[in-house]
Amino acid sequence: MTMLGIIIGISSVITIASLGETSKAVIAKEFEAFGKNRVVIYMPYSEEIRDSDYFTMEDIDKVKAKYKEDIVYLAPSTYENTEAISGRKKAKVSTEGVANGYEKMVNMDLVKGRFITEADIKSRRYVSVVDKAMADKIFPGENAVGKTIRISVEGQPADAKIVGVYEKKKSIFDGMMSSDSTTMYMPYSIFSSQLMYMGSIDMKINESKSSIEVGDSIANFLAKMKKREPGFYIVNTTQGEQNSIDQILSTLSLAIGAIAAISLLVGGIGIMNIMLVSVTERTKEIGIRKSLGARRKDILLQFLVESMIVSATGGIIGTTLGIVFASIVSLVLSVPPVVSPGIVIIAVVFSAVVGMFFGIYPANRAAKLDPIDALRYE
């Protein structure tokens, strides 16, 4: 019972800290799948938008030339919701216009065929890379590569040849998505009307660079070309989004951990009370030790060490339970647990410090006992 408060406090803090680190790791993996160091620059939501504010292919070429050392991938963002049809089979799709190299930016798992090439873009070929689930739905038991599907591009019916099939990676956000639509990738060049007034551009920044800094620089470069003030265009980066989420998770973990740490205070008070009782029960023992030459600091050290051992033992038990609880929760959520060794060390050391702090008063009281009075105590 003496260690219960310490055990509960430490196990709670370890569990919360571990789940916080696990959440950060999972979210980092999700952002990596979306595209590490990815940047999207888009138009602001304003009624004062001019036609000249929209991006053109000439703007993109200028950005490529100026930032050729910083940019790994750059293409206009084009997309359209449509339906893929083959015979009586059909599926809802979100068509996204991309450039060659997009598959590397998002670490795509291409299971069959190939991805969009530079030749596809230059020739404006109606070729597509589709999701495996969609391919299996429209062409069950068949190899979808080489097949043709009927779609709509900018309101006009068109036939698109499937040149590749990718498998969508599982995401923790899948359960939140109610749409049965899948993404189909095609050359961005087929969306001719969208290319005339591009509202956003998609890019990946060299991983040796800061995507936030480079993204802001490109946005300001575009604003200057369009005779707009710096900061006119909106910059969205995966690095910035991840940093924001990490900060929120850290704040939540700290707040919840602080609440859980209150039990450490309760545990410390419990240790102090038990040590006071121990001093009272061992008064005669203290008197004997002092009469045999034990100094005040010896008695003080004895009770401080005892208090620290009790508290540290509770800390070790609490740490073990915290790791077990965190592992169980991670198992239920189907995510790998992350336990920081630093947090474990801090937890055990902190529990010992709590024991020392709350053991000072009982230890000092024991050290101040008069040996004659102590020997008379019954």
Side-chain angles (χ1 to χ4, degrees):
M1 291 299 292
T2 305
M3 298 183 290
L4 187 60
I6 299 293
I7 292 172
I8 293 173
I10 292 295
S11 62
S12 300
V13 170
I14 290 290
T15 302
I16 293 164
S18 176
L19 291 178
E21 291 299 315
T22 300
S23 300
K24 288 181 183 179
V26 170
I27 289 171
K29 191 175 181 181
E30 291 293 326
F31 274 108
E32 190 172 335
F34 180 70
K36 193 174 181 181
N37 261 30
R38 189 173 180 176
V39 176
V40 179
I41 298 176
Y42 54 95
M43 303 283 291
Y45 301 103
S46 171
E47 295 179 356
E48 300 177 359
I49 296 296
R50 307 173 307 210
D51 287 348
S52 59
D53 292 329
Y54 287 91
F55 306 123
T56 64
M57 290 306 299
E58 185 181 352
D59 297 332
I60 289 179
D61 290 338
K62 287 180 180 178
V63 170
K64 283 182 178 179
K66 182 174 175 62
Y67 294 91
K68 59 183 178 181
E69 299 296 326
D70 302 318
I71 296 174
V72 177
Y73 172 91
L74 176 62
S77 294
T78 55
Y79 51 87
E80 182 177 355
N81 292 322
T82 183
E83 200 169 44
I85 303 171
S86 178
R88 294 185 177 182
K89 300 288 180 65
K90 57 185 178 180
K92 292 180 181 179
V93 293
S94 175
T95 308
E96 187 172 342
V98 297
N100 57 307
Y102 179 88
E103 76 281 13
K104 295 177 182 177
M105 178 172 73
V106 296
N107 297 318
M108 183 180 291
D109 289 332
L110 202 63
V111 293
K112 288 180 183 177
R114 63 172 178 84
F115 199 71
I116 307 300
T117 65
E118 184 68 28
D120 294 330
I121 294 165
K122 287 181 178 179
S123 302
R124 298 182 62 203
R125 294 173 184 162
Y126 280 73
V127 293
S128 62
V129 179
V130 302
D131 177 33
K132 185 177 182 296
M134 172 193 152
D136 291 341
K137 182 178 180 180
I138 296 182
F139 303 104
E142 299 180 62
N143 183 0
V145 175
K147 303 286 186 181
T148 301
I149 52 176
R150 191 73 168 171
I151 60 170
S152 173
V153 177
E154 297 186 328
Q156 299 298 318
D159 291 325
K161 182 181 179 181
I162 298 174
V163 295
V165 177
Y166 73 94
E167 189 162 17
K168 183 182 177 183
K169 294 180 180 179
K170 290 184 179 180
S171 169
I172 58 172
F173 302 115
D174 285 343
M176 304 176 190
M177 307 297 181
S178 57
S179 174
D180 57 353
S181 176
T182 61
T183 302
M184 178 173 70
Y185 300 101
M186 297 185 72
Y188 70 81
S189 54
I190 67 171
F191 297 94
S192 54
S193 63
Q194 290 191 41
L195 294 179
M196 293 173 64
Y197 295 98
M198 290 184 284
S200 61
I201 52 177
D202 193 5
M203 66 191 79
K204 180 180 179 179
I205 306 303
N206 192 315
E207 291 187 13
S208 64
K209 309 282 185 176
S210 167
S211 61
I212 296 175
E213 292 178 6
V214 176
D216 287 340
S217 177
I218 293 173
N220 290 334
F221 173 69
L222 288 166
K224 186 177 180 180
M225 283 198 299
K226 304 292 185 179
K227 294 181 172 55
R228 287 290 194 174
E229 67 280 0
F232 176 75
Y233 292 108
I234 299 171
V235 182
N236 197 350
T237 68
T238 51
Q239 184 183 347
E241 294 293 327
Q242 186 179 339
N243 290 346
S244 298
I245 293 175
D246 283 351
Q247 188 174 0
I248 292 170
L249 287 173
S250 296
T251 303
L252 283 174
S253 296
L254 186 63
I256 299 172
I259 295 171
I262 293 174
S263 58
L264 288 175
L265 178 64
V266 176
I269 294 172
I271 288 174
M272 183 176 68
N273 289 334
I274 291 298
M275 293 306 295
L276 284 172
V277 172
S278 178
V279 169
T280 303
E281 290 178 346
R282 295 162 65 186
T283 300
K284 201 161 189 175
E285 175 194 328
I286 295 168
I288 293 171
R289 287 200 64 200
K290 280 199 165 187
S291 65
L292 292 174
R295 295 166 296 178
R296 178 179 173 180
K297 68 176 184 179
D298 296 328
I299 304 297
L300 182 69
L301 184 62
Q302 175 190 346
F303 281 89
L304 273 180
V305 170
E306 287 181 12
S307 177
M308 288 174 65
I309 289 173
V310 171
S311 187
T313 302
I316 293 170
I317 296 172
T319 299
T320 305
L321 289 175
I323 294 172
V324 171
F325 292 152
S327 299
I328 292 172
V329 174
S330 297
L331 187 64
V332 171
L333 297 176
S334 300
V335 294
V338 178
V339 180
S340 171
I343 294 293
V344 173
I345 294 170
I346 290 171
V348 175
V349 171
F350 185 72
S351 63
V353 170
V354 167
M356 183 180 71
F357 179 78
F358 284 96
I360 288 175
Y361 176 67
N364 191 49
R365 183 173 173 180
K368 284 183 177 180
L369 284 175
D370 182 86
I372 297 174
D373 292 337
L375 288 169
R376 287 176 180 170
Y377 183 81
E378 293 295 338

